[in-house]
């Protein structure tokens, strides 16, 4: 068990006889982050009807159907777990999870079971429930998915039908067939394939035409040409009763291509469903003072100028000015740093940051759209549009291919015009059909789908379109520091003893006091067993703690706080660490130095990136000398510290201007703009919530070596794609001369095309073969 | 062999019917989640239908 959350989940699973989950799941669930507010309370807000209108509907029989968006669903076993455990709750009549959309449709009796209870139960299972908001983008995605499926299904039916006619026709070619039956079979093939070309292949024509108008040659152009010309030629042959028909090839080609693209899109879209949404980080409920009482209202109803209460541990729901209270806020959302900023009356606090120490009353400064968090969201959107677009490999090859095929076809036509004019049309057409780019067009989607599903098994989610191709061409790998190369939390790195205490004893005393604090510093002590229990512990926000043990007063905390108590305290040993002092009234006892520890695997990642020939860089918002030290330790030369988000983006852009392909590795919200600007990006997110992560690749299991593993996989993928292209082009090159000399009957063309496509698919599947990496739970 | 003139149109009608059914199923949302259905058969001890009816009977109590 990795954490109390897992343990609770395991207990619940075993308790309700759902231990099957562990036998059936194919991927590990994400680890639930320790929640800082009581789970149930935060969902009570959903019992208010005005807030739930958007995602709940009351049925005729009084039951309510609700749609929830679930964070953290990883595989089909998750859906099974959620469905099974909810269905056994009294009051629930129906629970169905849609994995593709991470959506839970639940029907329940509101008299038996309040909605907040459903939220709480889902949360207890380790998933993050949120109201499902139907957005235009989500609707559009669903419509596209259905349209793809329709085209694919219709093409499949058509392929079978036309294939049946084709068997008869091919047999007739070999054994002889009466002309009237040949005509009959061809006419029906014409009819069915005409419908398929119109209904299913129409999308290729539209895409090719759209790009052609802008002067771009894409893979869909040779595809559309092959389909269109082969069908027209076959139609002409049918009507004129001469020549050869290729209806079966046309339809089969359409079906396989649609299938390849459908599968590729499906692997990618599963996680693209959760796009970047900074607002989802904010709590839905706000505690406001109205008419002298504290009441809880939905966040959307809180107006500028109202006074809100933010409890310790809560995420601040809106930009506000502190009216009363002292506390510290952790602003890693904006600066990535783990040490909180102390705030008191008159200071501004920002939506999306976390109030760490004590309750604050604050006056709301404006709506979400005016907040600093919304500005972050907008800068991500701007960066997205500025991201350089690398042309897809397939499209670059396509332009050469189209030119080549057209050239060869015209050369053939001219040659035959001189040899045997009556054969010219048919030979030229058979060249076109033989050079049908089926394998060529399948080469990329098959390899990408295969690589993406292999990566998913190792704990990396691929979200960005074209991301694997960009990653394979990376020249510069840029890291963020806090939370990426480092663990993102403080740990005790040095103890400087000042009295006669042993180190263990000093740490035990400090831990005994820190136990009473919820400042992030105290987490560094949580692994130490406190000894005796302190009495009369006083906590001073932003300073430290004081407590009594065996009649002696001790203090632990900041330099000024301890010096006030014990003037003999010497200054801290150095400036590289974050130091806290321990003293009693008479004498200083120890300086305890805290440091953000380097990830254990960081060195291995840097080493393998360097041997792979990548240029490495470190961009950090932290201005302390620690960044430089850490970079030297790792062997990274290009270090820039104290960078504002804007400067980070400029740095990436200036690298891109010199022709570099930049891959950026960051850790979430504060890096979001620079991540979306880089050619490819990783988020080391521990991804409890994909919606708050903006990156092409999300490392779910929090292991940094996935960066280089994925890079390796991307390069393998590129190699496989190139192999596929080489095979497809090689096949075409060797078949075209045969066709140009008039030696290829249509059945041979059909078989050759299918075999060549199968080979490409089989080759792509090799990407999926790597043994699944061991995962830590 | 003249029966072909009848049988092929009949076959086409059946295909048209099949396509119609498929499109109906797609629009009805039956293909929205292609991953889950493969797993449903493995939940052998408790079928969703049964647990649903159990839940209902508990509600009635």
């Amino acid at each position: 068990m990795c954490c109390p959350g897992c343990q609770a989940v395991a207990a619940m699973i075993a308790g309700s006889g759902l231990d099957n989950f562990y036998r059936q799941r194919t991927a590990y669930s994400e680890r639930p982050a320790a929640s800082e507010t009581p789970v149930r309370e935060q969902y009570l807000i959903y019992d208010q009807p005005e807030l739930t209108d958007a995602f709940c509907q009351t049925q005729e029989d009084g039951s309510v159907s609700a749609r929830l968006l679930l964070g953290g669903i990883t595989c089909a076993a998750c859906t099974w777990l959620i469905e099974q455990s909810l269905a056994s709750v009294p009051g629930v009549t129906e629970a169905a999870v849609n994995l593709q959309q991470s959506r839970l449709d639940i029907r329940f009796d509101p008299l038996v079971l309040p909605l907040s209870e459903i939220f709480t139960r889902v949360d207890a299972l380790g998933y993050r429930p949120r109201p499902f908001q139907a957005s235009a983008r989500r609707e559009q995605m669903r419509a596209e998915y259905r349209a793809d499926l329709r085209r694919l299904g219709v093409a499949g039916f058509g392929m079978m039908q036309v294939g049946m006619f084709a068997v008869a026709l091919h047999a007739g070619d070999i054994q002889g067939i009466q002309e009237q039956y040949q005509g009959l079979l061809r006419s029906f093939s014409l009819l069915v394939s005409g419908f398929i070309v119109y209904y299913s292949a129409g999308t290729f024509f539209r895409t090719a035409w759209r790009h052609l108008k802008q002067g771009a040659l894409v893979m869909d152009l040779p595809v559309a040409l092959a389909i269109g010309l082969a069908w027209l030629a076959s139609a002409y042959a049918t009507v004129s009763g001469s020549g050869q028909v290729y209806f079966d090839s046309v339809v089969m080609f359409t079906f396989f291509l649609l299938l390849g693209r459908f599968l590729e899109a499906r692997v990618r879209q599963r996680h693209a469903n959760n796009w970047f949404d900074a607002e989802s980080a904010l709590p839905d409920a706000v505690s406001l003072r109205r008419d002298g009482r504290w009441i809880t209202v939905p966040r959307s109803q809180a107006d500028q100028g109202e006074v809100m209460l933010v409890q310790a541990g809560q995420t601040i729901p809106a930009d506000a000015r502190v009216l009363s209270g002292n506390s510290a806020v952790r602003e890693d959302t904006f600066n990535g740093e783990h040490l909180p900023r102390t705030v008191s009356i008159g200071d501004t606090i920002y939506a999306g940051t976390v109030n760490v120490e004590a309750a604050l009353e604050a006056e709301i400064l404006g709506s979400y759209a005016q907040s600093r968090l919304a500005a972050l969201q907008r800068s991500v959107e701007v960066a997205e549009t500025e991201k350089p677009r690398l042309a897809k490999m397939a499209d670059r090859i396509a332009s050469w291919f189209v030119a080549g095929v057209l050239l060869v076809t015209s050369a053939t036509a001219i040659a035959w015009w001189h040899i045997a004019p009556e054969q010219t049309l048919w030979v030229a057409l058979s060249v076109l059909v033989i050079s049908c780019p089926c394998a060529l067009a399948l080469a990329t989607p098959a390899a990408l789908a295969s690589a993406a599903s292999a990566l998913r098994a190792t704990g990396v989610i691929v979200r960005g379109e074209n991301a694997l191709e960009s990653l394979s061409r990376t020249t510069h790998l840029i890291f963020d520091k806090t939370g990426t190369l480092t663990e993102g939390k403080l740990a005790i790195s040095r103890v400087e003893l000042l009295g006669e205490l042993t180190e263990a004893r000093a740490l035990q005393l400090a831990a005994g006091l820190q136990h009473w604090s919820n400042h992030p510093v105290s987490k560094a002590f949580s692994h130490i067993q406190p000894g005796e229990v302190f009495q009369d512990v006083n906590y001073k926000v932003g300073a430290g703690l004081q407590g009594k043990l065996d009649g002696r007063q001790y203090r632990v905390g900041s330099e000024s706080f301890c010096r006030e108590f014990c003037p003999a305290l010497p200054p801290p040993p150095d400036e590289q660490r974050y130091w806290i002092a321990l003293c009693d009234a008479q004498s200083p006892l120890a300086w305890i130095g805290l440091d953000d520890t380097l990830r254990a695997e960081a060195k291995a990642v840097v080493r393998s990136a360097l041997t792979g020939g990548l240029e490495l860089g470190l961009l950090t918002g932290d201005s302390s000398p620690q960044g430089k030290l850490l970079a030297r330790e790792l062997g990274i030369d290009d270090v820039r510290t104290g960078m504002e988000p804007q400067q980070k983006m400029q740095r990436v852009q200036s690298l891109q201007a010199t022709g570099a392909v930049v891959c950026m590795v960051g850790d979430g919200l504060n890096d979001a703009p620079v991540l979306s600007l880089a050619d490819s990006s990783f988020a080391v997110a521990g991804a409890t919530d994909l919606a708050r992560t903006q990156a092409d690749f999300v490392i779910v299991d929090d292991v940094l070596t996935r960066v280089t593993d994925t890079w390796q996989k991307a390069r393998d993928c590129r190699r496989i794609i190139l192999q596929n292209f080489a095979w497809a082009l090689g096949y075409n090159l060797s078949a075209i001369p045969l066709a140009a000399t008039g030696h290829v009957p249509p059945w041979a063309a059909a078989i050759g095309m299918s075999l060549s496509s199968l080979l490409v698919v089989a080759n792509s599947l090799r990407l999926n073969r790597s043994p699944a990496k061991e995962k830590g739970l | 062999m003249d029966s072909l003139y009848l049988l092929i149109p009949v076959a086409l009608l059946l295909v048209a019917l099949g396509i119609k059914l498929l499109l109906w199923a797609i629009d009805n949302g039956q293909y929205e989640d292609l991953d889950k259905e493969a797993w449903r058969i493995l939940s052998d001890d408790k079928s969703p239908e049964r647990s649903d009816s159990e839940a209902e009977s508990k509600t009635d109590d």
Side-chain angles (χ1 to χ4, degrees), chain A residues 338-340 490-491 493-494 519 521 542-543 557-558 574-580 591-596:
Chain A
H338 37 261
L339 280 178
L490 289 173
S493 68
R494 221 171 104 191
H519 192 275
V521 161
S558 70
D574 62 35
E575 285 179 357
Q576 285 158 25
R577 292 181 180 77
Y578 182 79
W579 291 98
I580 59 169
W591 276 110
I592 299 167
L594 301 174
D595 220 344
D596 191 3

PDB file of all heavy atoms in Angstrom, chain A residues 338-340 490-491 493-494 519 521 542-543 557-558 574-580 591-596:
ATOM      1  N   HIS A 338       7.273  25.679  -3.388  1.00  0.00           N
ATOM      2  CA  HIS A 338       6.503  24.984  -2.362  1.00  0.00           C
ATOM      3  C   HIS A 338       6.413  25.775  -1.075  1.00  0.00           C
ATOM      4  O   HIS A 338       5.590  25.505  -0.238  1.00  0.00           O
ATOM      5  CB  HIS A 338       7.128  23.630  -2.087  1.00  0.00           C
ATOM      6  CG  HIS A 338       8.610  23.687  -2.144  1.00  0.00           C
ATOM      7  ND1 HIS A 338       9.308  23.284  -3.260  1.00  0.00           N
ATOM      8  CD2 HIS A 338       9.512  24.170  -1.278  1.00  0.00           C
ATOM      9  CE1 HIS A 338      10.590  23.502  -3.044  1.00  0.00           C
ATOM     10  NE2 HIS A 338      10.741  24.033  -1.872  1.00  0.00           N
ATOM     11  N   LEU A 339       7.306  26.774  -0.872  1.00  0.00           N
ATOM     12  CA  LEU A 339       7.245  27.531   0.375  1.00  0.00           C
ATOM     13  C   LEU A 339       6.188  28.615   0.261  1.00  0.00           C
ATOM     14  O   LEU A 339       6.174  29.373  -0.700  1.00  0.00           O
ATOM     15  CB  LEU A 339       8.597  28.174   0.683  1.00  0.00           C
ATOM     16  CG  LEU A 339       9.586  27.196   1.295  1.00  0.00           C
ATOM     17  CD1 LEU A 339      10.907  27.884   1.535  1.00  0.00           C
ATOM     18  CD2 LEU A 339       9.048  26.596   2.579  1.00  0.00           C
ATOM     19  N   PRO A 340       5.289  28.680   1.211  1.00  0.00           N
ATOM     20  CA  PRO A 340       4.183  29.627   1.092  1.00  0.00           C
ATOM     21  C   PRO A 340       4.608  31.064   1.367  1.00  0.00           C
ATOM     22  O   PRO A 340       5.659  31.327   1.954  1.00  0.00           O
ATOM     23  CB  PRO A 340       3.196  29.136   2.139  1.00  0.00           C
ATOM     24  CG  PRO A 340       3.990  28.361   3.109  1.00  0.00           C
ATOM     25  CD  PRO A 340       5.192  27.829   2.399  1.00  0.00           C
ATOM     26  N   LEU A 490       9.931  19.656   0.689  1.00  0.00           N
ATOM     27  CA  LEU A 490      11.131  19.840   1.493  1.00  0.00           C
ATOM     28  C   LEU A 490      11.471  18.579   2.263  1.00  0.00           C
ATOM     29  O   LEU A 490      10.595  17.847   2.701  1.00  0.00           O
ATOM     30  CB  LEU A 490      10.911  20.985   2.475  1.00  0.00           C
ATOM     31  CG  LEU A 490      10.863  22.368   1.846  1.00  0.00           C
ATOM     32  CD1 LEU A 490      10.474  23.396   2.888  1.00  0.00           C
ATOM     33  CD2 LEU A 490      12.201  22.726   1.228  1.00  0.00           C
ATOM     34  N   ALA A 491      12.775  18.359   2.432  1.00  0.00           N
ATOM     35  CA  ALA A 491      13.219  17.252   3.274  1.00  0.00           C
ATOM     36  C   ALA A 491      14.435  17.736   4.041  1.00  0.00           C
ATOM     37  O   ALA A 491      15.135  18.653   3.612  1.00  0.00           O
ATOM     38  CB  ALA A 491      13.577  16.050   2.421  1.00  0.00           C
ATOM     39  N   SER A 493      17.971  18.068   5.069  1.00  0.00           N
ATOM     40  CA  SER A 493      19.189  17.673   4.380  1.00  0.00           C
ATOM     41  C   SER A 493      20.416  17.829   5.266  1.00  0.00           C
ATOM     42  O   SER A 493      21.422  17.190   5.031  1.00  0.00           O
ATOM     43  CB  SER A 493      19.357  18.476   3.096  1.00  0.00           C
ATOM     44  OG  SER A 493      19.618  19.823   3.404  1.00  0.00           O
ATOM     45  N   ARG A 494      20.366  18.708   6.263  1.00  0.00           N
ATOM     46  CA  ARG A 494      21.533  18.862   7.131  1.00  0.00           C
ATOM     47  C   ARG A 494      21.080  19.305   8.514  1.00  0.00           C
ATOM     48  O   ARG A 494      20.123  20.065   8.637  1.00  0.00           O
ATOM     49  CB  ARG A 494      22.470  19.923   6.551  1.00  0.00           C
ATOM     50  CG  ARG A 494      23.936  19.517   6.657  1.00  0.00           C
ATOM     51  CD  ARG A 494      24.789  20.471   5.889  1.00  0.00           C
ATOM     52  NE  ARG A 494      25.492  21.383   6.788  1.00  0.00           N
ATOM     53  CZ  ARG A 494      26.147  22.461   6.361  1.00  0.00           C
ATOM     54  NH1 ARG A 494      26.139  22.772   5.086  1.00  0.00           N
ATOM     55  NH2 ARG A 494      26.783  23.223   7.210  1.00  0.00           N
ATOM     56  N   HIS A 519       2.023  23.859   8.327  1.00  0.00           N
ATOM     57  CA  HIS A 519       2.897  24.501   7.365  1.00  0.00           C
ATOM     58  C   HIS A 519       3.644  23.415   6.583  1.00  0.00           C
ATOM     59  O   HIS A 519       3.935  22.354   7.141  1.00  0.00           O
ATOM     60  CB  HIS A 519       3.889  25.371   8.160  1.00  0.00           C
ATOM     61  CG  HIS A 519       4.666  26.321   7.300  1.00  0.00           C
ATOM     62  ND1 HIS A 519       5.810  25.935   6.664  1.00  0.00           N
ATOM     63  CD2 HIS A 519       4.481  27.625   6.990  1.00  0.00           C
ATOM     64  CE1 HIS A 519       6.291  26.970   5.980  1.00  0.00           C
ATOM     65  NE2 HIS A 519       5.501  28.001   6.172  1.00  0.00           N
ATOM     66  N   VAL A 521       6.580  23.001   5.910  1.00  0.00           N
ATOM     67  CA  VAL A 521       7.828  22.602   6.550  1.00  0.00           C
ATOM     68  C   VAL A 521       7.599  21.413   7.480  1.00  0.00           C
ATOM     69  O   VAL A 521       8.434  20.507   7.580  1.00  0.00           O
ATOM     70  CB  VAL A 521       8.418  23.802   7.339  1.00  0.00           C
ATOM     71  CG1 VAL A 521       9.424  23.329   8.368  1.00  0.00           C
ATOM     72  CG2 VAL A 521       9.064  24.783   6.385  1.00  0.00           C
ATOM     73  N   GLY A 542       3.425  32.135  10.418  1.00  0.00           N
ATOM     74  CA  GLY A 542       4.530  32.747   9.699  1.00  0.00           C
ATOM     75  C   GLY A 542       5.796  32.817  10.511  1.00  0.00           C
ATOM     76  O   GLY A 542       6.767  33.437  10.086  1.00  0.00           O
ATOM     77  N   ALA A 543       5.827  32.225  11.715  1.00  0.00           N
ATOM     78  CA  ALA A 543       7.021  32.319  12.542  1.00  0.00           C
ATOM     79  C   ALA A 543       7.449  30.947  13.045  1.00  0.00           C
ATOM     80  O   ALA A 543       8.500  30.433  12.647  1.00  0.00           O
ATOM     81  CB  ALA A 543       6.768  33.248  13.721  1.00  0.00           C
ATOM     82  N   GLY A 557      11.414  27.306  14.723  1.00  0.00           N
ATOM     83  CA  GLY A 557      10.835  28.205  13.729  1.00  0.00           C
ATOM     84  C   GLY A 557      11.875  29.082  13.085  1.00  0.00           C
ATOM     85  O   GLY A 557      13.071  28.752  13.050  1.00  0.00           O
ATOM     86  N   SER A 558      11.419  30.262  12.622  1.00  0.00           N
ATOM     87  CA  SER A 558      12.295  31.137  11.855  1.00  0.00           C
ATOM     88  C   SER A 558      13.371  31.762  12.756  1.00  0.00           C
ATOM     89  O   SER A 558      13.265  31.744  13.980  1.00  0.00           O
ATOM     90  CB  SER A 558      11.473  32.244  11.210  1.00  0.00           C
ATOM     91  OG  SER A 558      11.020  33.119  12.221  1.00  0.00           O
ATOM     92  N   ASP A 574      24.462  28.585   6.144  1.00  0.00           N
ATOM     93  CA  ASP A 574      24.663  29.067   4.770  1.00  0.00           C
ATOM     94  C   ASP A 574      23.339  29.561   4.211  1.00  0.00           C
ATOM     95  O   ASP A 574      22.323  29.554   4.899  1.00  0.00           O
ATOM     96  CB  ASP A 574      25.290  27.985   3.883  1.00  0.00           C
ATOM     97  CG  ASP A 574      24.399  26.757   3.761  1.00  0.00           C
ATOM     98  OD1 ASP A 574      23.165  26.922   3.740  1.00  0.00           O
ATOM     99  OD2 ASP A 574      24.927  25.634   3.702  1.00  0.00           O
ATOM    100  N   GLU A 575      23.349  29.977   2.953  1.00  0.00           N
ATOM    101  CA  GLU A 575      22.125  30.531   2.376  1.00  0.00           C
ATOM    102  C   GLU A 575      21.496  29.625   1.342  1.00  0.00           C
ATOM    103  O   GLU A 575      20.518  29.988   0.704  1.00  0.00           O
ATOM    104  CB  GLU A 575      22.437  31.893   1.741  1.00  0.00           C
ATOM    105  CG  GLU A 575      22.624  32.968   2.791  1.00  0.00           C
ATOM    106  CD  GLU A 575      22.960  34.312   2.183  1.00  0.00           C
ATOM    107  OE1 GLU A 575      23.107  34.371   0.953  1.00  0.00           O
ATOM    108  OE2 GLU A 575      23.080  35.275   2.946  1.00  0.00           O
ATOM    109  N   GLN A 576      22.101  28.450   1.148  1.00  0.00           N
ATOM    110  CA  GLN A 576      21.579  27.590   0.102  1.00  0.00           C
ATOM    111  C   GLN A 576      20.329  26.849   0.523  1.00  0.00           C
ATOM    112  O   GLN A 576      19.549  26.415  -0.301  1.00  0.00           O
ATOM    113  CB  GLN A 576      22.632  26.568  -0.309  1.00  0.00           C
ATOM    114  CG  GLN A 576      23.716  27.182  -1.151  1.00  0.00           C
ATOM    115  CD  GLN A 576      24.955  26.346  -1.099  1.00  0.00           C
ATOM    116  OE1 GLN A 576      24.906  25.156  -0.854  1.00  0.00           O
ATOM    117  NE2 GLN A 576      26.080  26.996  -1.312  1.00  0.00           N
ATOM    118  N   ARG A 577      20.192  26.671   1.825  1.00  0.00           N
ATOM    119  CA  ARG A 577      19.053  25.889   2.280  1.00  0.00           C
ATOM    120  C   ARG A 577      18.054  26.784   2.979  1.00  0.00           C
ATOM    121  O   ARG A 577      18.312  27.951   3.243  1.00  0.00           O
ATOM    122  CB  ARG A 577      19.516  24.800   3.249  1.00  0.00           C
ATOM    123  CG  ARG A 577      20.337  23.732   2.588  1.00  0.00           C
ATOM    124  CD  ARG A 577      20.740  22.689   3.605  1.00  0.00           C
ATOM    125  NE  ARG A 577      21.540  21.658   2.961  1.00  0.00           N
ATOM    126  CZ  ARG A 577      22.813  21.821   2.644  1.00  0.00           C
ATOM    127  NH1 ARG A 577      23.426  22.955   2.919  1.00  0.00           N
ATOM    128  NH2 ARG A 577      23.475  20.859   2.046  1.00  0.00           N
ATOM    129  N   TYR A 578      16.936  26.167   3.293  1.00  0.00           N
ATOM    130  CA  TYR A 578      15.945  26.829   4.105  1.00  0.00           C
ATOM    131  C   TYR A 578      16.166  26.333   5.526  1.00  0.00           C
ATOM    132  O   TYR A 578      16.022  25.145   5.804  1.00  0.00           O
ATOM    133  CB  TYR A 578      14.552  26.446   3.593  1.00  0.00           C
ATOM    134  CG  TYR A 578      13.432  27.096   4.331  1.00  0.00           C
ATOM    135  CD1 TYR A 578      13.077  28.411   4.071  1.00  0.00           C
ATOM    136  CD2 TYR A 578      12.727  26.384   5.296  1.00  0.00           C
ATOM    137  CE1 TYR A 578      12.040  29.000   4.760  1.00  0.00           C
ATOM    138  CE2 TYR A 578      11.686  26.984   5.981  1.00  0.00           C
ATOM    139  CZ  TYR A 578      11.364  28.288   5.708  1.00  0.00           C
ATOM    140  OH  TYR A 578      10.331  28.869   6.390  1.00  0.00           O
ATOM    141  N   TRP A 579      16.617  27.260   6.422  1.00  0.00           N
ATOM    142  CA  TRP A 579      17.002  26.830   7.769  1.00  0.00           C
ATOM    143  C   TRP A 579      15.920  27.153   8.784  1.00  0.00           C
ATOM    144  O   TRP A 579      15.340  28.227   8.744  1.00  0.00           O
ATOM    145  CB  TRP A 579      18.286  27.541   8.203  1.00  0.00           C
ATOM    146  CG  TRP A 579      19.497  27.107   7.429  1.00  0.00           C
ATOM    147  CD1 TRP A 579      20.054  27.752   6.369  1.00  0.00           C
ATOM    148  CD2 TRP A 579      20.305  25.965   7.671  1.00  0.00           C
ATOM    149  NE1 TRP A 579      21.146  27.071   5.919  1.00  0.00           N
ATOM    150  CE2 TRP A 579      21.331  25.961   6.703  1.00  0.00           C
ATOM    151  CE3 TRP A 579      20.262  24.919   8.609  1.00  0.00           C
ATOM    152  CZ2 TRP A 579      22.302  24.966   6.651  1.00  0.00           C
ATOM    153  CZ3 TRP A 579      21.230  23.936   8.561  1.00  0.00           C
ATOM    154  CH2 TRP A 579      22.246  23.959   7.589  1.00  0.00           C
ATOM    155  N   ILE A 580      15.665  26.218   9.691  1.00  0.00           N
ATOM    156  CA  ILE A 580      14.839  26.556  10.841  1.00  0.00           C
ATOM    157  C   ILE A 580      15.623  26.248  12.113  1.00  0.00           C
ATOM    158  O   ILE A 580      16.463  25.345  12.142  1.00  0.00           O
ATOM    159  CB  ILE A 580      13.475  25.824  10.850  1.00  0.00           C
ATOM    160  CG1 ILE A 580      13.667  24.319  10.862  1.00  0.00           C
ATOM    161  CG2 ILE A 580      12.614  26.232   9.693  1.00  0.00           C
ATOM    162  CD1 ILE A 580      12.375  23.593  11.133  1.00  0.00           C
ATOM    163  N   TRP A 591      20.430  24.102  14.231  1.00  0.00           N
ATOM    164  CA  TRP A 591      19.879  24.598  12.979  1.00  0.00           C
ATOM    165  C   TRP A 591      19.540  23.379  12.140  1.00  0.00           C
ATOM    166  O   TRP A 591      20.356  22.478  11.968  1.00  0.00           O
ATOM    167  CB  TRP A 591      20.904  25.436  12.202  1.00  0.00           C
ATOM    168  CG  TRP A 591      20.976  26.866  12.628  1.00  0.00           C
ATOM    169  CD1 TRP A 591      21.986  27.469  13.296  1.00  0.00           C
ATOM    170  CD2 TRP A 591      20.011  27.880  12.365  1.00  0.00           C
ATOM    171  NE1 TRP A 591      21.720  28.797  13.498  1.00  0.00           N
ATOM    172  CE2 TRP A 591      20.498  29.074  12.931  1.00  0.00           C
ATOM    173  CE3 TRP A 591      18.767  27.901  11.721  1.00  0.00           C
ATOM    174  CZ2 TRP A 591      19.793  30.274  12.858  1.00  0.00           C
ATOM    175  CZ3 TRP A 591      18.069  29.087  11.648  1.00  0.00           C
ATOM    176  CH2 TRP A 591      18.586  30.270  12.221  1.00  0.00           C
ATOM    177  N   ILE A 592      18.331  23.357  11.618  1.00  0.00           N
ATOM    178  CA  ILE A 592      17.947  22.233  10.767  1.00  0.00           C
ATOM    179  C   ILE A 592      17.752  22.762   9.348  1.00  0.00           C
ATOM    180  O   ILE A 592      16.943  23.668   9.120  1.00  0.00           O
ATOM    181  CB  ILE A 592      16.663  21.564  11.280  1.00  0.00           C
ATOM    182  CG1 ILE A 592      16.903  21.035  12.697  1.00  0.00           C
ATOM    183  CG2 ILE A 592      16.229  20.430  10.367  1.00  0.00           C
ATOM    184  CD1 ILE A 592      15.658  20.639  13.419  1.00  0.00           C
ATOM    185  N   GLY A 593      18.544  22.239   8.430  1.00  0.00           N
ATOM    186  CA  GLY A 593      18.504  22.728   7.045  1.00  0.00           C
ATOM    187  C   GLY A 593      17.580  21.872   6.194  1.00  0.00           C
ATOM    188  O   GLY A 593      17.655  20.648   6.188  1.00  0.00           O
ATOM    189  N   LEU A 594      16.664  22.554   5.486  1.00  0.00           N
ATOM    190  CA  LEU A 594      15.722  21.824   4.636  1.00  0.00           C
ATOM    191  C   LEU A 594      16.024  22.113   3.176  1.00  0.00           C
ATOM    192  O   LEU A 594      16.456  23.199   2.813  1.00  0.00           O
ATOM    193  CB  LEU A 594      14.287  22.265   4.940  1.00  0.00           C
ATOM    194  CG  LEU A 594      13.830  22.076   6.369  1.00  0.00           C
ATOM    195  CD1 LEU A 594      12.464  22.682   6.549  1.00  0.00           C
ATOM    196  CD2 LEU A 594      13.805  20.608   6.727  1.00  0.00           C
ATOM    197  N   ASP A 595      15.775  21.149   2.358  1.00  0.00           N
ATOM    198  CA  ASP A 595      16.133  21.245   0.970  1.00  0.00           C
ATOM    199  C   ASP A 595      15.096  20.496   0.161  1.00  0.00           C
ATOM    200  O   ASP A 595      14.506  19.543   0.650  1.00  0.00           O
ATOM    201  CB  ASP A 595      17.484  20.547   0.789  1.00  0.00           C
ATOM    202  CG  ASP A 595      18.350  21.326  -0.153  1.00  0.00           C
ATOM    203  OD1 ASP A 595      17.804  22.176  -0.862  1.00  0.00           O
ATOM    204  OD2 ASP A 595      19.561  21.085  -0.153  1.00  0.00           O
ATOM    205  N   ASP A 596      14.926  20.944  -1.039  1.00  0.00           N
ATOM    206  CA  ASP A 596      14.080  20.191  -1.955  1.00  0.00           C
ATOM    207  C   ASP A 596      14.961  19.092  -2.532  1.00  0.00           C
ATOM    208  O   ASP A 596      15.955  19.368  -3.190  1.00  0.00           O
ATOM    209  CB  ASP A 596      13.586  21.119  -3.063  1.00  0.00           C
ATOM    210  CG  ASP A 596      12.499  20.482  -3.881  1.00  0.00           C
ATOM    211  OD1 ASP A 596      12.100  19.356  -3.549  1.00  0.00           O
ATOM    212  OD2 ASP A 596      12.068  21.115  -4.850  1.00  0.00           O
TER     213      ASP A 596
END
